[in-house]
Amino acid sequence: MGIVLKGGTIVSSKDSYIADIRIENGIIKAMGENLEVDGDEVINVSGRYILPGGIDAHTHFDLDVGVTRTADNFETGTKAALVGGTTTIIDYANHIKGQRFLDDLRYYSTLTDGRCYCDYSYHLSITEWNQDFSKEMGEMVLRGIPSFKMYMAYKDTLQVEDYEIEEALRKAKELGIILSFHCEDGDEIVKNVSNLLLEGKTEPKFHEISRGDEVELAAVKRILDISEKVDYPVYIVHLSTKKALDEIIRRRKSGTKVIIETCPQYLLLNKEAYKGKVDDDFNGAKYVMSPPLRSKEDNNALWKGIANRDIQILATDHCSFNYKNQKEIGLKDFSKIPNGAPGVEHRMILLYSFGVREERISINKLVEITSENASKIFGLYPNKGVIAEGSDGDILVLNPSEEEVITWQNQTQNVDYTPYEGYKVKGKIERVFLRGKEVVKDGKLLSDKAFGQFVSRKRLRDEVQKYGEI
Ligand code: URP
Ligand code: ZN
Ligand code: ZN
C-alpha cells in the first residue's frame, strides 16, 4: 500500500510543474498521472508546493559548552526540524581533546540513536590536530562521515592554529572530503573583549563590537590563503558580512574554489537587536551568537549573493539557550553569554515568506539552497534533496495561501524565545513526509516515535565526479 500526493506543484532547483507522486516503502516509486494502485491512500495537495524535505547542514543539538548545555537535544531539535519542513539534519559533533575520533562518534551515538525524529548525520569538529588524526579521518569516512570542521575562533577551547588547518586540509584533499571553517579571528576577539571589559563595557551590545566585520574578513582571507596554498576548496560556515563575501567573489575570479553557507539570521536580523528593550536592556543577549548580527547593508549583500549563486547553502547554526538562566550566565559580562540562537524550525518558512514572496529569490532557488545543494555537497544525493523516482519520500507540502505568526509559545523548539517573535509569515508547512511516512499534518507533529535514521554520506570528490561542481 502506498501514498499518492495528487495535483501539487513539484519544485526542483530547475523547474516547477504539476504532477502526482506515488510513494511506497519509503521511496518515490512513480511521478506523473493516474498512479493509484488499489489500497493506496490518496491525498489531494492541489494548490500546494511540493518541495524536497529540507536539509539543515548546520545544527548544534545537545551541545556541551562547558558552563551549560544547549536547550534543545536531539529529540526536541529534530521534532522542531520536522515541524519546520526539515527532514535531515547534519549536526556538528565536537571532538573531545585527547580522545579518538571513534570515541567521539560513539559518544554522539548515545545522544542520537533512537532519539531523532528526522534523519541525521554528523560532521566532526576537530578541536586539535595530530598526525594520528590523519588515519582517524579516513576511518570516519568509512563510517559515512566525510565532513569535518575547524574553528578559527573560541580561543583556548575550540580554536586551532593555521599550521593545524593546513595539515588537516592536506589530509582532506587526499581523502576528497570537506573541511569547513568558522571564520573569525579568535586572537583579535580575545584582545577586543579584554579591552572592552577593562573599560567596564559589559552589556550584550559589546559582543558585536568585540567581533566586527574586519574580524570575519581577516579569518576569511587567511583561510583562502591556506586553501590556495594547498590547492583544495574549503567550506565557510555562517558567512555574515558583505566585506568577506566581496573578498570571496574577488578571489574566485582568480580560480579559488570555496563553498559558502549563510543563515536566516544574517539575512533577516541586524545589530539593532543588541540595543535591548526599554523594559529589558539585557534582551540583546537573545541575539548573542558568533558571528554576531550585522547591518542591513550586509543583509542585502547576502540576499544578492544567494540570488547570484555566490552563496550555495542556507543552514541555521541552530544552537539554542534559554534566555532565563542560560543567557543570564552573562548578565554581568557579555563574554560569558552562551553563544547561539534557535532557528531549525523556521528556516524554510522564513525563506519562503521573506525570500520567495518578497521576490528576492525564486522558489527554485529556495529548493537549491535549503536542500539540493546540501545533498550534493554533503553526499546525500540523489536519495535526499530532490523529488525524483528512486529518491527517499522526504517531502514538504507548503500551502502558500495560509499565514502564521511566529511566537515562542507556538514553537516546537524547546527554548523560551525565538529571534523571530511576532514575525508574520506568508505560507504554512502543512504536511511533512519522512521516507514516505506522514510525520506532520496541519503543521502538527503526528509521530510519537523517533523515526529518524543515521544516514551514511558519500565523499565530495565522488559527488563532484558524478554531478559536477556546485
Ligand atoms: O554562536 C554560535 N554560532 N554558536 C554555535 C557554535 C558556532 O560557532 O557555530
Ligand atoms: Zn561557528
Ligand atoms: Zn555552528
Side-chain angles (χ1 to χ4, degrees), residues 4-11 16-22 30-35 43 45-46 48-50 387 389:
V4 176
L5 301 181
K6 216 172 168 49
T9 301
I10 299 171
V11 186
S16 315
Y17 54 94
I18 294 180
D20 303 344
I21 301 173
R22 182 167 187 277
M31 293 170 64
E33 279 180 276
N34 304 320
L35 306 175
I43 301 173
V45 288
S46 60
R48 273 73 167 167
Y49 288 117
I50 311 298
I387 296 180
E389 285 175 19

Side-chain angles (χ1 to χ4, degrees), residues 66 185 310 364:
D185 186 326
D310 296 323
N364 310 94

Side-chain angles (χ1 to χ4, degrees), residues 180-440:
S180 67
F181 294 93
H182 173 127
C183 292
E184 287 186 294
D185 186 326
D187 293 350
E188 194 58 31
I189 293 165
V190 168
K191 270 192 272 163
N192 295 342
V193 167
S194 147
N195 289 339
L196 287 162
L197 292 177
L198 277 174
E199 290 166 27
K201 296 176 170 163
T202 59
E203 302 101 285
K205 67 179 178 200
F206 293 107
H207 171 74
E208 185 268 322
I209 291 165
S210 71
R211 40 216 310 159
D213 53 5
E214 293 294 337
V215 167
E216 182 172 80
L217 180 63
V220 164
K221 281 184 173 166
R222 269 168 46 218
I223 206 65
L224 295 180
D225 289 346
I226 298 171
S227 166
E228 285 164 7
K229 188 171 168 199
V230 175
D231 189 23
Y232 194 64
V234 291
Y235 179 107
I236 297 180
V237 296
H238 52 45
L239 194 86
S240 66
T241 60
K242 177 177 187 314
K243 277 188 184 158
L245 183 61
D246 286 347
E247 175 70 10
I248 288 158
I249 293 169
R250 193 178 69 76
R251 302 274 277 257
R252 274 188 178 140
K253 285 189 183 132
S254 47
T256 308
K257 288 186 179 149
V258 47
I259 303 166
I260 303 299
E261 166 198 293
T262 192
C263 312
Q265 55 269 34
Y266 303 117
L267 300 170
L268 298 172
L269 305 173
N270 65 69
K271 58 186 171 188
E272 293 288 303
Y274 294 116
K275 283 188 177 155
K277 285 183 170 172
V278 187
D279 55 345
D280 181 7
D281 56 11
F282 189 64
N283 194 65
K286 292 177 180 169
Y287 307 90
V288 166
M289 60 185 82
S290 295
L293 299 176
R294 308 294 187 177
S295 66
K296 288 190 181 155
E297 196 194 353
D298 291 296
N299 300 157
N300 292 337
L302 295 174
W303 276 117
K304 204 168 136 210
I306 290 175
N308 292 346
R309 307 192 81 202
D310 296 323
I311 294 173
Q312 286 68 46
I313 288 195
L314 188 87
T316 61
D317 194 14
H318 178 105
C319 188
S320 58
F321 298 99
N322 287 312
Y323 183 52
K324 280 270 153 232
N325 298 328
Q326 292 194 294
K327 290 284 184 183
E328 281 176 353
I329 294 168
L331 260 175
K332 294 198 168 66
D333 174 351
F334 72 85
S335 71
K336 295 199 164 52
I337 299 171
N339 278 209
V344 72
E345 187 169 342
H346 300 124
R347 177 181 68 134
M348 303 297 281
I349 204 64
L350 286 169
L351 194 67
Y352 174 71
S353 187
F354 297 102
V356 178
R357 294 292 285 267
E358 295 196 0
E359 298 185 358
R360 289 173 165 126
I361 58 166
S362 68
I363 191 144
N364 310 94
K365 176 60 80 177
L366 178 147
V367 166
E368 187 182 313
I369 63 165
T370 58
S371 59
E372 191 176 307
N373 280 352
S375 178
K376 288 179 174 165
I377 291 167
F378 290 113
L380 294 164
Y381 199 79
N383 297 29
K384 308 225 179 257
V386 61
I387 296 180
E389 285 175 19
S391 296
D392 286 358
D394 293 351
I395 288 174
L396 134 62
V397 178
L398 191 152
N399 185 344
S401 312
E402 300 243 0
E403 294 193 354
E404 284 192 317
V405 178
I406 296 175
T407 67
W408 73 269
Q409 289 101 331
N410 69 16
Q411 70 183 358
T412 302
Q413 297 170 152
N414 181 41
V415 54
D416 65 3
Y417 78 99
T418 157
Y420 307 102
E421 184 69 32
Y423 274 47
K424 288 194 182 70
V425 287
K426 294 200 173 85
K428 179 179 160 116
I429 311 292
E430 210 169 56
R431 297 176 189 258
V432 180
F433 297 83
L434 174 62
R435 283 177 279 106
K437 184 177 162 61
E438 190 169 21
V439 284
V440 173

Side-chain angles (χ1 to χ4, degrees), residues 60 92 94 125-126 149-154 158-160 182:
H60 302 272
Y92 278 99
N94 259 9
S125 299
I126 312 177
K149 177 190 193 182
M150 288 178 133
Y151 288 88
M152 299 173 84
Y154 304 117
L158 307 173
Q159 185 173 327
V160 290
H182 173 127

